[in-house]
């Protein structure tokens, strides 16, 4: 009808475009390390050197070197004695203590409840840790050197053959460890003798007169056993023999021996045979 205002057109509602559901991107897989170089290195490993004297001796040094310091660090023994209390006490007292690496015997001072409620500290003398630790240090360092030498022999054998300093350094290293095995084994053998004397139960009882009194006599129950440490010293001198005997095979790899051999071969054709 005329005269009535016409309804204004209403705006069309906005049409929102329907977005597709989000696509979750696949997470990239972590990049694997490049193993090609390692595989090529292993494929080119020269294991034939282990059949040679210098390589085979390294295997023996590896086995006996570990055995030498492992028997020392894992060692444990104990001693015990009994304090006989008067008849009024119900039970006698058993004293038992352990001796372990690094053999600082003078630090063993346990308080003991002896007869009639008295408390005394057990006194022991001797510190043998310096020689035992030196022996173990020589074994560990030799063990690490053997691993480095085997890597050099098997993986970087071309450098060992082409660089005249490599065999010379290997020879010098063997001289050093031969001296170290001699010093370490000798020092540890001397300390073991003193350790066995210091830890005899009779000696311990004499050094503790406040514990083993005439009224409370003491009796030996068990002595410490040091057979395992004796084996470690034998292994130490065996390592000395192995490292010393390998010097000849390493000397044959140095330029001094090769130059001497070449001079001998060159001089042989020029020599005049004696009629």
């Amino acid at each position: 009808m005329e005269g009535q205002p016409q309804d204004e057109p209403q705006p069309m509602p906005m049409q929102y475009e329907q977005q597709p559901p989000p696509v979750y991107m696949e997470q990239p897989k972590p990049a694997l390390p490049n193993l090609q170089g390692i595989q090529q290195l292993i494929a080119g490993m020269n294991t034939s050197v282990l059949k040679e004297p210098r390589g085979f001796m390294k295997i023996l040094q590896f086995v006996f070197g570990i055995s030498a310091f492992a028997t020392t660090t894992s060692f444990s023994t104990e001693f015990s004695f009994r304090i006989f209390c008067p008849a009024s006490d119900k039970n006698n007292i058993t004293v038992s203590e352990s001796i372990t690496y690094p053999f600082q015997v003078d630090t063993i001072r346990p308080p003991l409840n002896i007869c009639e409620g008295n408390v005394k500290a057990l006194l022991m003398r001797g510190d043998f840790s310096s020689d035992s630790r030196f022996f173990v240090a020589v074994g560990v360092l030799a063990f690490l050197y053997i691993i480095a030498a085997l890597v050099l022999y098997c993986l970087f054998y071309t450098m060992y053959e082409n660089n005249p300093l490599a065999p010379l350094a290997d020879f010098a290293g063997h001289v050093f460890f031969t001296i170290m095995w001699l010093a370490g084994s000798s020092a540890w053998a001397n300390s073991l003798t003193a350790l066995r004397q210091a830890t005899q139960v009779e000696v311990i009882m004499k050094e503790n007169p406040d514990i083993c009194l005439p009224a409370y006599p003491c009796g030996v129950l068990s002595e410490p056993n040091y057979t395992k440490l004796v084996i470690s010293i034998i292994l130490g001198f065996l390592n000395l023999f192995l490292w010393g005997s390998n010097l000849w095979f390493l000397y044959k790899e140095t330029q001094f021996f090769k130059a001497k051999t070449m001079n001998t071969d060159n001089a042989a054709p020029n020599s005049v045979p004696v009629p």
Side-chain angles (χ1 to χ4, degrees):
M1 295 179 63
E2 296 181 359
Q4 293 183 354
Q6 297 181 357
D7 296 335
E8 296 180 358
Q10 299 294 329
M12 297 293 294
M14 297 181 62
Q15 299 292 329
Y16 293 94
E17 297 181 358
Q18 294 183 354
Q19 299 291 337
V23 178
Y24 296 97
M25 299 180 61
E26 295 182 358
Q27 296 294 331
K29 296 181 179 180
L32 297 176
N34 186 9
L35 302 178
Q36 185 176 3
I38 300 177
Q39 292 175 354
Q40 292 178 355
L41 193 64
I42 296 176
M45 181 182 297
N46 180 22
T47 57
S48 61
V49 69
L50 301 178
K51 301 177 183 179
E52 300 177 7
R54 60 188 174 99
F56 181 71
M57 292 290 284
K58 279 288 181 294
I59 298 177
L60 295 179
Q61 292 168 358
F62 181 85
V63 173
F64 289 107
I66 293 178
S67 302
F69 70 81
T71 51
T72 304
T73 55
S74 62
F75 175 80
S76 177
T77 187
E78 65 177 19
F79 64 90
S80 61
F81 62 93
R82 178 168 294 171
I83 305 174
F84 297 96
C85 297
S88 58
D89 290 358
K90 296 182 179 179
N91 297 320
N92 296 324
I93 298 174
T94 301
V95 180
S96 178
E97 291 295 331
S98 298
I99 301 174
T100 58
Y101 176 83
F103 311 107
Q104 292 176 305
V105 179
D106 55 355
T107 61
I108 303 176
R109 295 178 180 270
L112 303 178
N113 295 317
I114 61 175
C115 303
E116 299 180 356
N118 297 323
V119 179
K120 299 291 183 180
L122 183 67
L123 175 64
M124 298 182 65
R125 303 182 186 276
D127 184 358
F128 311 96
S129 60
S130 59
D131 290 338
S132 63
R133 284 171 174 167
F134 177 65
F135 180 79
V136 171
V138 172
V140 173
L141 292 176
F143 165 74
L144 297 176
Y145 180 86
I146 292 169
I147 294 178
L150 288 176
V151 171
L152 180 63
Y153 290 172
C154 298
L155 298 180
F156 304 99
Y157 57 92
T158 55
M159 183 185 71
Y160 188 90
E161 295 174 353
N162 299 328
N163 189 351
L165 294 179
L168 187 61
D170 194 18
F171 179 81
H174 272 67
V175 172
F176 173 77
F177 278 105
T178 300
I179 297 173
M180 288 295 100
W181 276 116
L182 174 61
S185 301
S186 301
W188 179 220
N190 181 63
S191 290
L192 178 58
T193 302
L195 175 64
R196 297 177 67 174
Q197 294 176 353
T199 56
Q200 291 180 359
V201 179
E202 292 288 345
V203 175
I204 296 173
M205 291 190 300
K206 290 179 180 180
E207 292 180 348
N208 293 270
D210 295 338
I211 296 177
C212 298
L213 299 172
Y216 315 135
C218 298
V220 179
L221 291 180
S222 63
E223 294 278 358
N225 186 2
Y226 293 103
T227 304
K228 193 175 179 180
L229 291 185
V230 174
I231 295 175
S232 72
I233 294 176
I234 296 174
L235 292 173
F237 284 106
L238 179 59
N239 278 281
L240 167 64
F241 171 76
L242 292 175
W243 286 79
S245 59
N246 200 24
L247 289 173
W248 167 246
F249 302 111
L250 296 177
Y251 173 70
K252 293 174 66 176
E253 300 293 330
T254 62
Q255 58 182 350
F256 302 107
F257 179 84
K258 293 180 179 179
K260 183 179 179 180
T261 305
M262 292 178 61
N263 293 334
T264 304
D265 295 340
N266 294 333
N270 298 329
S271 60
V272 179
V274 179

